[in-house]
C-alpha cells in the first residue's frame, strides 16, 4: 500500500464490461517524503477523491477486492483512503541496518 | 514477512470500510550494511506499534486476510509483530 497524489481524471467510454461506473483518476505514486516514484498511473476510485488529494492506494488483486461490489474486474490500482494527516520522522534518526550478532530493538 | 522500522503514521478519516479506520504506519524496511535501502510503504497496524518500533510486516494479501478474519479485505501489508531483538550470524 502506498501514497499517491491525484493529478486528474481519465474518462473511458469503451471499457472492460463490469468496470462501468468506476471513477478513474490519474495518480502519481509517492514515497514517504512525498517525492514522485515512477510514472503517472490510473487508479480506480472508491473513496471519491478529488484532484490534488493525497491518497492511500493498494495494488494487485487487493485493488480488485476494494471495489464496492466485489466482482473480478481487471483493476490493479485502487484508491482506498484519503490522507488527512501524515507525520513522518526523518529516517536519519533511526538505525535501519541489521548488523551481524545481536540487534537489540526493544 | 520482512523486518521494518516504523517511521511515521498516516491518519485517514475517509477510508475503505475494510480498514476499520485503523492506523496506517509508514514502514522503512531494514537492510544489511552496504545494501541499498528498500523502498518504503504503508502497512495497516494491528499490534499498536508506534513510531520507532521495529516490526514484522506481512506483505501478502492472503496472510493479511487471515489475520483480519475478513476473506475480502483489500489489505496487502499488515503489521503482525513487534520485534525485540534480531540475531544475525
Amino acid at each position: 500500500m502506498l501514497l499517491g497524489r491525484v493529478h486528474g481524471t481519465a474518462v473511458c467510454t469503451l471499457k472492460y464490461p463490469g468496470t462501468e461506473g468506476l471513477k478513474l483518476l490519474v495518480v502519481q505514486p509517492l514515497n514517504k517524503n512525498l517525492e514522485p516514484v515512477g510514472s503517472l498511473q490510473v487508479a480506480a476510485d472508491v473513496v471519491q477523491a478529488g484532484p490534488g488529494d493525497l491518497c492511500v492506494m493498494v495494488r494487485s488483486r487487493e485493488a480488485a477486492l476494494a471495489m464496492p461490489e466485489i466482482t473480478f474486474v481487471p483493476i490493479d490500482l485502487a484508491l482506498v483512503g484519503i490522507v488527512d494527516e501524515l507525520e513522518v520522522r526523518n529516517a536519519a534518526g533511526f538505525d535501519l541496518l541489521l548488523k551481524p550478532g545481536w540487534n537489540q530493538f526493544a | 514477512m520482512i523486518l521494518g522500522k516504523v517511521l511515521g503514521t498516516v491518519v485517514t478519516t475517509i477510508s475503505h470500510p475494510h480498514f476499520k479506520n485503523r492506523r496506517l504506519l509508514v514502514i522503512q524496511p531494514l537492510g544489511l550494511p552496504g545494501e541499498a535501502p528498500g523502498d518504503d510503504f504503508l502497512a495497516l497496524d494491528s499490534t499498536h506499534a508506534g513510531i520507532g518500533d521495529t516490526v514484522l510486516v506481512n506483505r501478502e494479501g492472503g496472510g493479511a486476510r487471515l489475520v483480519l478474519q475478513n476473506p475480502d479485505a483489500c489489505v496487502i501489508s499488515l503489521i503482525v509483530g513487534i520485534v525485540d531483538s534480531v540475531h544475525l550470524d
Side-chain angles (χ1 to χ4, degrees), chain A residues 28-84:
Chain A
Q28 167 66 57
L30 305 172
N31 65 11
K32 65 178 184 296
N33 305 323
L34 303 185
E35 291 139 0
V37 172
S39 60
L40 286 178
Q41 293 169 22
V42 178
D45 176 29
V46 178
V47 283
Q48 286 76 35
D53 282 354
L54 184 62
C55 300
V56 177
M57 307 194 301
V58 64
R59 283 197 199 288
S60 75
R61 181 173 175 272
E62 281 65 34
L65 283 174
M67 291 301 114
E69 66 285 339
I70 294 170
T71 57
F72 281 108
V73 285
I75 300 275
D76 73 346
L77 186 61
L79 295 178
V80 286
I82 299 178
V83 174
D84 293 325

Side-chain angles (χ1 to χ4, degrees), chain A residues 1 32 59 61-62 65-66 70 80-82 84-87 89 94-98 101-106, chain B residues 5 7-16 28 31 33 40 42 54 61 65 74 76 84-88:
Chain A
M1 291 157 9
K32 65 178 184 296
R59 283 197 199 288
R61 181 173 175 272
E62 281 65 34
L65 283 174
I70 294 170
V80 286
I82 299 178
D84 293 325
E85 283 168 45
L86 174 67
E87 183 211 345
R89 297 280 169 75
F94 295 94
D95 170 20
L96 298 172
L97 290 181
L98 279 173
W102 276 103
N103 296 262
Q104 199 62 29
F105 294 122
Chain B
K5 184 81 77 175
L7 291 189
T9 59
V10 176
V11 175
T12 62
T13 39
I14 306 167
S15 64
H16 198 277
Q28 172 73 43
D40 50 84
L42 302 184
T54 300
R65 281 189 283 279
C74 62
I76 294 180
D84 292 334
S85 63
V86 169
H87 182 271
L88 276 186

Side-chain angles (χ1 to χ4, degrees), chain B residues 24-83:
Chain B
L24 275 163
L25 298 175
V26 178
I27 309 284
Q28 172 73 43
L30 299 187
L32 294 174
E35 201 186 65
D39 46 8
D40 50 84
F41 58 92
L42 302 184
L44 202 63
D45 174 26
S46 69
T47 59
H48 305 301
I51 293 182
D53 286 351
T54 300
V55 290
L56 205 58
V57 186
N58 181 330
R59 293 206 73 182
E60 194 271 332
R65 281 189 283 279
L66 276 180
V67 170
L68 296 173
Q69 283 125 22
N70 174 354
D72 297 329
C74 62
V75 173
I76 294 180
S77 312
L78 183 71
I79 293 178
V80 290
I82 300 180
V83 176

